[in-house]
Amino acid sequence: MIVFHIVEASTWEAAKAVGKYRPASLENEEFIHFSTVEQVVATANRFYKGQDGLVLLEVSCDRLTEPLCYEDVPGYGIFPHLYAPLPVSAVLKVWPFPHNADGAFSLPFSQR
């Protein structure tokens, strides 16, 4: 299974240097937010509309060192969360994730 995570390109580059990605949400909320392919555009438009410098991480669940937990986010649905740092080796592809002219996002690839 594949899940996705949106992150600033510079933050991702720093994580690659140490081999693990530890966003602020891991410290503050104790997990990393992910989205399914069906959820990622809505997530991007809800939290990142108009933001530049983003990439979309395509993550293989088979390569994670800890299992994902699927949890209800009231008002939004069931989302995958990781209660551990994300190993860089779990990322299959890093997609440039620019917004459209109106600031909204679309998938940078054809949906599978």
Side-chain angles (χ1 to χ4, degrees), residues 6 40-50 99-100 103-106:
I6 303 163
V40 73
V41 170
T43 298
N45 289 329
R46 186 176 310 117
F47 297 105
Y48 300 96
K49 190 168 185 176
H99 58 76
N100 303 321
F105 289 88
S106 341

Side-chain angles (χ1 to χ4, degrees), residues 25-62:
S25 69
L26 189 56
E27 300 304 321
N28 300 335
E29 300 171 81
E30 300 182 352
F31 62 85
I32 301 173
H33 297 265
F34 287 91
S35 296
T36 64
V37 70
E38 296 83 11
Q39 296 168 323
V40 73
V41 170
T43 298
N45 289 329
R46 186 176 310 117
F47 297 105
Y48 300 96
K49 190 168 185 176
Q51 187 171 330
D52 294 318
L54 300 175
V55 293
L56 182 63
L57 306 181
E58 182 175 338
V59 177
S60 170
C61 296
D62 293 337

